[in-house]
Amino acid sequence: MRSNVAEYDLIAPPTLTEALQTLADDPRYSPIAGGTELMVALSAGRLPQKHLLSINHLRELRFIDTTAEAITIGSGTTFTDIRKHAVIACDLPLLAQAASWTGSIANQNRGTLGGNIVNASPAADSPPALLAYDAALTLISASGSRTLPYADFHLSYKKTALRPGELLHSIRVERRFTNYRSYTRKVGTRNAQAISKVAIAALALVSEGERRVIQDIRIGAASLRETPTRCSAAERALLKQPLTPASLPALIAAARAALATEARPIDDIRSTAKYRAAVAANLLEEFLRGL
């Protein structure tokens, strides 16, 4: 049953400062950016928040800043902005690919990176890449700001480290992954406009020369646990290991076994836990063979 829009209140403070003050003064208000998730819930009669505060128009949250050290992306930056940005495509290809997977072109024009993060879906497209890149988040409120690793943001299913009155301001990724091999793949019902059954984004730094060794490895995943997750056990099984044709079978076996210890997928309308676990292991193997 559709919601009765007359029961809802929407305000749009003209500045970020006023928006933060409203959130501090009146905890009933929930921020809304592109609305690609909330409007689905509204149409289905499942949107519990009756007081909405629009931040979609705030230019202070929509930006991409690049320096020699890092790329900082405002939380209000759309997936179209990300998909079309030349520096992101070059330095953060996993994130650029995730942006191209997120819904339709219309969704990409409206949906924001901050909204994708704060919505906290375990199946979201951008988190695996951000986890692999060791992103950091800046959170702001009327009383100040703080920064925390993105890996510490998701606490449990749909629960985040955001405090009352806080907004996600920006996402920062260091520009230190240009020499890494990258891999990402999303498995869903369709190639586009489909929520992932399982997805992986991975990076590896492999030493060159006679004795090739995995010097660093980082693996982010969607739909494997109750939150977007970094596959730490699989990473530990692979780190500093030799990468040769002779060692590859044992390395793959160890990685698959380690992943099985940390994967906690569920059965739902889109897939089964057994399928998700098997496909995730297959994707990890595909990544390693590609190295």
Side-chain angles (χ1 to χ4, degrees):
M1 186 174 69
R2 292 179 63 88
S3 301
N4 179 5
V5 295
E7 297 176 358
Y8 290 82
D9 171 34
L10 174 68
I11 62 173
T15 67
L16 178 58
T17 299
E18 291 175 78
L20 293 173
Q21 193 58 56
T22 300
L23 291 174
D25 294 341
D26 193 340
R28 295 178 303 165
Y29 280 97
S30 298
I32 177 173
T36 56
E37 288 287 338
L38 291 186
M39 290 301 99
V40 172
L42 178 72
S43 296
R46 294 184 286 102
L47 182 61
Q49 301 97 324
K50 299 294 185 180
H51 300 274
L52 303 173
L53 183 147
S54 175
I55 58 174
N56 189 57
H57 59 291
L58 297 177
R59 303 302 300 178
E60 300 104 312
L61 297 178
R62 186 173 179 177
F63 62 87
I64 300 174
D65 287 340
T66 62
T67 66
E69 294 76 30
I71 299 172
T72 303
I73 306 170
S75 61
T77 303
T78 69
F79 287 105
T80 296
D81 296 334
I82 293 168
R83 183 169 51 81
K84 292 184 174 181
H85 199 276
V87 177
I88 290 177
C90 180
D91 284 18
L92 308 177
L94 298 178
L95 184 58
Q97 182 64 67
S100 74
W101 283 334
T102 305
S104 65
I105 295 299
N107 290 127
Q108 293 169 20
N109 288 341
R110 288 283 304 182
T112 65
L113 181 59
N116 201 230
I117 293 169
V118 173
N119 184 54
S121 167
D125 290 320
S126 62
L130 295 174
L131 287 167
Y133 284 130
D134 264 346
L137 307 183
T138 296
L139 309 177
I140 58 172
S141 68
S143 58
S145 66
R146 62 188 178 110
T147 301
L148 78 162
Y150 178 48
D152 296 339
F153 184 71
H154 297 289
L155 304 180
S156 59
Y157 178 72
K158 289 284 188 174
K159 184 178 180 182
T160 73
L162 274 174
R163 296 169 182 165
E166 274 189 331
L167 286 177
L168 172 57
H169 175 268
S170 55
I171 302 93
R172 184 180 188 273
V173 180
E174 293 183 6
R175 298 178 70 179
R176 59 185 177 90
F177 300 103
T178 52
N179 293 325
Y180 282 65
R181 311 282 187 89
S182 64
Y183 168 92
T184 187
R185 189 163 174 189
K186 171 181 174 177
V187 177
T189 306
R190 299 178 299 276
N191 287 333
Q193 298 193 64
I195 297 173
S196 65
K197 296 175 184 288
V198 65
I200 279 183
L203 295 164
L205 182 64
V206 180
S207 61
E208 301 298 335
E210 257 182 56
R211 189 171 182 274
R212 303 181 74 239
V213 173
I214 298 175
Q215 299 286 358
D216 188 22
I217 190 159
R218 42 199 60 239
I219 305 161
S223 297
L224 275 190
R225 295 185 70 93
E226 70 277 7
T227 67
T229 190
R230 183 90 175 257
C231 301
S232 302
E235 291 174 355
R236 289 193 295 272
L238 295 165
L239 187 62
K240 305 302 181 185
Q241 295 301 309
L243 188 65
T244 66
S247 68
L248 188 59
L251 193 65
I252 289 172
R256 291 179 72 109
L259 184 64
T261 67
E262 59 188 340
R264 298 286 186 273
I266 62 170
D267 295 322
D268 64 13
I269 194 171
R270 286 186 294 276
S271 192
T272 65
K274 183 178 180 180
Y275 177 84
R276 286 184 164 114
V279 169
N282 290 344
L283 297 184
L284 180 57
E285 178 173 340
E286 184 176 71
F287 168 52
L288 294 173
R289 291 188 181 279
L291 296 178

